[in-house]
Amino acid sequence: VAETLHITGHTRAEKYAALIPQLRALCAGETNRIANLANIAAALRQTFGFFWVGFYVVRNSELVLGPFQGPLACTRIASGKGVCGTSWKEKKTILVPDVEQFPGHIACSSDSKSEIVVPVFDAGGAVTMVLDVDSDQLNDFDAADQKYFEEICAWIGTLDHGDER
Ligand code: SME
């Protein structure tokens, strides 16, 4: 697979439709989790220009920063803390139109204005990581973004990441 994205279309829906099959091709046959998550984060940032895109991976009793694209971020988040820890604890997507209105939001950057966090589940239904996408604009994510991010995270949950580290 050539490591080049070909994104046609102008609307986000068109871009998701172009991107998702290319993500699948990019990760097919690669069993290293860091490698796949790194390319997924890069592809999402490159396609949409989001302010911050990345993964927090469940490790023991915390979320630990994984592959990401964007400014420096905090490295560890406890269950129930911030948007990421809440998504993990409640095992569901959290869409935050205005981070200042979210109690306990962890401000890694004051430029982050809205965000969405989507959990990835293993076959047993446990959360293995979360995808965090942040925008420097208020109210940047809607139900359509949520649908596509959930589709991407459901697919990530099916990847063979036997070569995890
Ligand atoms: N805002 C997140 C923390 C992670 S960063 O923004 C990259 C949260 O509240 O969980």
Side-chain angles (χ1 to χ4, degrees):
V1 177
E3 280 80 16
T4 306
L5 292 175
H6 297 281
I7 303 299
T8 51
H10 298 285
T11 68
R12 277 203 192 160
E14 289 169 337
K15 290 181 179 180
Y16 284 115
L19 176 63
I20 289 173
Q22 294 180 69
L23 286 181
R24 289 175 181 270
L26 192 62
C27 297
E30 174 53 66
T31 59
N32 185 271
R33 183 165 73 169
I34 292 172
N36 281 337
L37 299 183
N39 266 340
I40 293 165
L44 285 169
R45 181 97 185 287
Q46 192 181 325
T47 300
F48 298 103
F50 295 129
F51 177 73
W52 196 95
V53 186
F55 296 90
Y56 280 91
V57 178
V58 175
R59 189 84 180 261
N60 303 319
S61 59
E62 290 177 312
L63 292 171
V64 181
L65 182 63
F68 72 97
Q69 294 268 313
L72 294 180
C74 45
T75 58
R76 290 173 189 267
I77 298 174
S79 177
K81 297 293 181 191
V83 185
C84 292
T86 302
S87 173
W88 176 28
K89 185 177 183 184
E90 297 186 4
K91 303 179 110 185
K92 65 176 196 194
T93 298
I94 312 280
L95 198 164
V96 183
D98 177 356
V99 296
E100 297 208 350
Q101 303 302 315
F102 187 91
H105 171 255
I106 300 166
C108 289
S109 165
S110 59
D111 289 331
S112 181
K113 300 283 193 265
S114 60
E115 75 176 275
I116 183 167
V117 178
V118 181
V120 174
F121 300 96
D122 68 15
V127 176
T128 56
M129 65 186 99
V130 299
L131 169 64
D132 179 358
V133 187
D134 295 0
S135 173
D136 59 5
Q137 297 180 55
L138 282 171
N139 206 13
D140 201 15
F141 304 106
D142 64 15
D145 296 292
Q146 178 168 344
K147 179 180 86 99
Y148 287 110
F149 288 135
E150 287 177 349
E151 180 181 335
I152 290 167
C153 286
W155 159 71
I156 293 171
T158 68
L159 290 173
D160 171 9
H161 280 157
D163 182 11
E164 183 167 299
R165 296 181 191 207

